[in-house]
Each structure stands twice: as C-alpha cells, then as structure tokens.
Amino acid sequence: MDEIKEIPVKHNVISRLLGKEGDNNFIPEIVKKVKNYFNEPLRTLPVYDQEKQGSLVEFIVPDGLKEIERYWLQEPYTFASILEDRKTRHYKLVEPALTKYEKELLERIYEDFQDILVLNSTTSRFEKDALLVDRTLFLLERYKAEISASAIEKILYYLRRNLLGYDKINPLLYDPYIEDISCDGVEIPIYIYHTKYFNIKSNISFKEEELDSFVIRMCQLNNKHISVSQPIVDATIHDGSRLQAILGREITPRDSSFTIRKFRKDPITPIDLLGFKTCDLKILVYLWLVIENGYNIVFAGGTASGKTSMLNATSLFMPSTAKIVSIEDTRELLLYHNNWVSGITRESFSSDSTGEVSMYDLLRAALRQRPDFIIVGEVRGNEALTLFQAMSTGHATSSTMHAGDVQTVINRLTHEPINVPQMMLQSLDVLCIQEQVYIEEKRVRRSRSLVEVLNIDPETGDLGINELFNWEASEDCFIKVGDSHLMQDIMHVRGWDADQLKNEIENRRKILTYMYENKMRSYIQVSLVVQTYQSYPKMIIESIENNTLQGMIQDMIA
C-alpha cells in the first residue's frame, strides 16, 4: 500500500484561484477589494405607492358569483375574495398577474440565483429578503431589462413566495381568519377552515409531481426528513404553526397530503371568550379565582371544541410571580409571564427512538424545576399518571384531554393506557367540558358543563361530582346549578369572610366587564391588568371607576 503523504499548503486560496501564486504582496489587495465589495450597501426599492404607480392585482367577480367580502393578506400583493353561488362559498386567493415577458424574466432570475439564499442557519429572514432584493435588481441591471416598477414588484413577490416562503400556499399563512389549511391530494382544491365562513374550498390545487416535491421541500425547510420509508412527518413551521405531512400513495391513495394548523400569534383571551359566548362572566370569575389560588383543572372535549383556547386564555390568570412550566407536542400556548419555561417534545432521530424527548420526559424534568404551575397541552398516555402525582404533591396544574363528558374523562383516566388510580382522581379539582355545537347553522364552541371533583365515596368507591354551571342549548345561556365548595376553601385559606369573598368576586366582574366594553382583548393587556390587580387591587378598581384603566395599561405597554 502506498504511503499517504501530507500535501503542504503553501499559497493562499484566493491568490491561487486568481492565478497569482507566490505573490504575497497581491493578497492584501485582493482581500481589501473583497471586503469593499461586501461592505457596499445593498440595492433597495422604495415603498410601492399604489395610488401613483397603479394596483398590482386586479380581479373581476365572475358571472354567477357574488362577492361577500374582500380583504388584504399582503398589501399590495395579495388579497382574499370570499365568493358565493347558490349552493356554496368559495375562497379566492388573488395574486399579481404576470405578462409573458415578466414570466420569462422571473424564470431566468429564478434559475440564476435560487442557490444564493442557501445561507447558514444564523442568517435571518430579513437578511435573506434584503439579499434577494439586491440580487434581483443586480440581475435586472445585467440583463438590461426595460421593466416598470410594478413589474419589478410582481417579480419580487413571486421570488419571495417561492424561495423564502411556502410557494402557492404562502399567502394563506398571512390570513388571520384561517385556522387550518388542508390539502387532501392531487388536483383536489385546498380546503381551509375560516373563522367566519368555516370549511370553505379555495382556488389552489397541486399536480402530482408538484405536490410530492412541495411536501418534501416543506419538511426540509423545517429541518425534517420525509421519504417512502418515513412517509409521515409532524413539524413546526417558522411561524409556530403545526404541519402534518404524508408522502406518496402507500398510505393515502389520493397521493401526498398535508395539514397546517395555524399558530395564533395573538391568542384567544378571556375577553374573547366573552365575545364568542364560549362561557359567561360568572364562569370566568370563578376560573380566575380557582386558577389564581392554585387549584388543578382539566379542560376536556372533542376535536376543535376549544380546549386549548380555554387553557391558554385562563392561564393568563396565573400570578405574575409564579414559576410556570408548560409542556406541549407542538407550540400552541402563549403567555405574558417572565418566569415561564416552555417545553416542546421532540421526535427521535432514528427508528430505535434515539434522541426522542416525550411528554413524559419533559414532565419528569419539570418536576425538578420547582414550578408553581405546570401546564400540559394534552394528556393521553403515561404522562397523565405523573401529572396526577404532581397534583398530589402540591403542584398546581392545568391540562386538556379528549373526552366528551365527565364519565368519559374518568373512564379514560382510570383505564388503559393512562391507568391513574381512582384515589388519585381526588387531586383533580375542576373539570370543564367543552363542546362544538351548532346554533342557527353556525358552528360555535361552548363550555357545556363545569364541575368540581369531590372526594371518593368510601362505601361505593364512586367519585363525587359537584356541578356548578350548565349550558342551556335552547336559550344559548349558562345556568348556575350548584354552589362551589372551592370558594369556601379559598375563603378559608385566604382568611376572608363572606363579605370579602363577595367583594373579590365583584371586583373581578368589574374588571372583566370594563375590558370587554373597552375592547381590551389582547393577551398583553389582559395579563397586565390581572397581574397589576394581584399587587395593587385598589389602583385597578379606582382606575375603572375613573375610566382611566385603558390609558394606564397603554402607558405600561409603551
């Protein structure tokens, strides 16, 4: 075997590539030129003025259809038009139309520099966007293309969409009314779940090869691998939305598919719950006192019944000084607490579960962090037993689970695969049942029942239940059907008498009513009011009476 010899490196790489080997005096000059080149300011475009330069998008409502609503997604590039015929409603995504010449320019630019944006992981999206604009303008100068400002803007829109975004579905991610985006297969229109118009068909679809490559690219953009051997992938995309993708026909006969469940950057708050009539003022005041005082609560219900929304909204009632640890499969919770540790599970790197971090692992780790509150996105397996052990040892917890009624919750908790001992169920204090219902053909979410969990009956072994509130379907209202045992416990622990408890309930009712009437619904506003009231209750009540609370909170945010 020949001996492997070390090859000495005698010359600088730059000088060798430029044919100046051995000329050491030449190296600083090249370095200086390269440095000056990269220090040059990037080319930029002024903000596009639609009034002076014309609209980038045009759309005429087709005959036989009626436009219900039109709103911008990415002004001035894309808007959504909600259309209606005699039978159904349609979601029309309107994007800039390109001429034949503009299409040719776009394709040429796309081929020339689609690799330059493959930068290191520390490069921000803002930097990539600035580089994209600079390189596009540079190439247009090199082509000596005679092109208008509107044409440049349209070309840049499609380059951003395809290189930095998620191709033809990218504008949907900007729609604040969309909750879910579903692609069911090849040449099948993408369906969206719209908060105003519910399940609605869009004008977007994929061809076979296009869909497969798009699913692969979506996974790669989010550092996931999908293939025939691993055809199912769960991922979190850059804005926090949840992606579930399936590749090929082996599992789905209609070819590849994907679902994106959008992450709300502005989460639902207790004020929104009042506006949606998900629950009423009495229920929210009760939940505020219960959660603030560290009692354990589970929100149960079917799919899309509002469990997580209730969990996130009521978690804003947790004290500002408390240490909170949250555990989720995918990021959905958003709190305005400084002392908050957010944990998210991770799939394994291989088939033997190497590197997997499960809900159970995160929950065990959380118990070592001395949290005051533990929030678990959803319990469905062995982590539930650990959660109930945490309840039994004095940790305040909030969680969700899939179950349609109280008895189903108990059955799921006490049987496979959860197997929580029945005696441990006494650690659970409050159970809120969420349900998705129809009112005048409109799908809404309601808190169907709210109960307190009492002690185990020593003779029968049954779990005692104290029902407090019920939703009355015929009147779409909430009825108080029982008196709270927990309110008596809170009164005893806090050293209040009956009048003080009544005063605290009334104060919280005033606060929530004021915020609702003044549309103070953002999670930051709600959190600041709740947290300030915990430290300075008189100041908050006086500011409500003087109608200065909204201005005070705005000053705190500023």
Side-chain angles (χ1 to χ4, degrees), residues 26 46 69 96 101 110 164 535 554:
F26 183 75
E69 185 179 1
Y101 176 61
Y110 191 83
L164 300 182
S535 303
Q554 287 302 116

Side-chain angles (χ1 to χ4, degrees), residues 249-434:
R249 292 180 179 270
E250 287 81 4
I251 297 175
T252 51
R254 302 167 92 180
D255 217 293
S256 300
S257 64
F258 64 85
T259 300
I260 295 174
R261 188 170 184 179
K262 287 184 64 182
F263 172 73
R264 289 181 64 102
K265 296 179 182 178
D266 184 19
I268 289 175
T269 65
I271 308 306
D272 294 321
L273 297 177
L274 287 176
F276 298 150
K277 295 184 178 180
T278 302
C279 52
D280 70 356
L281 200 58
K282 291 180 181 179
I283 293 176
L284 282 178
V285 169
Y286 172 84
L287 291 173
W288 186 347
L289 279 165
V290 164
I291 290 171
E292 179 187 287
N293 287 279
Y295 289 92
N296 303 306
I297 184 167
V298 168
F299 297 96
T303 302
S305 60
K307 302 184 300 298
T308 304
S309 296
M310 285 288 292
L311 177 66
N312 200 141
T314 56
S315 295
L316 301 180
F317 293 141
M318 293 177 179
S320 60
T321 55
K323 180 172 182 178
I324 302 170
V325 177
S326 66
I327 298 165
E328 304 173 84
D329 278 329
T330 53
R331 184 186 170 203
E332 292 183 279
L333 299 175
L334 186 58
L335 307 180
Y336 194 69
H337 290 71
N338 290 328
N339 198 5
W340 168 41
V341 179
S342 176
I344 299 175
T345 61
R346 184 181 71 183
E347 293 181 349
S348 65
F349 299 127
S350 60
S351 58
D352 62 354
S353 298
T354 302
E356 179 184 8
V357 180
S358 66
M359 296 274 281
Y360 176 66
D361 297 327
L362 288 173
L363 187 52
R364 284 196 307 166
L367 294 176
R368 301 189 187 103
Q369 298 172 34
R370 295 185 65 186
D372 297 301
F373 289 85
I374 299 174
I375 306 173
V376 180
E378 182 182 347
V379 291
R380 61 175 74 91
N382 57 356
E383 72 276 358
L385 180 57
T386 306
L387 181 68
F388 272 82
Q389 288 172 338
M391 293 180 191
S392 302
T393 54
H395 295 85
T397 68
S398 296
S399 186
T400 73
M401 68 179 299
H402 274 82
D405 53 53
V406 174
Q407 190 57 50
T408 305
V409 171
I410 295 172
N411 291 341
R412 282 205 65 198
L413 288 173
T414 55
H415 292 81
E416 292 285 350
I418 298 178
N419 286 329
V420 174
Q422 194 167 20
M423 289 299 295
M424 270 193 176
L425 293 182
Q426 297 176 104
S427 302
L428 178 62
D429 299 303
V430 179
L431 183 57
C432 185
I433 305 298
Q434 297 297 121

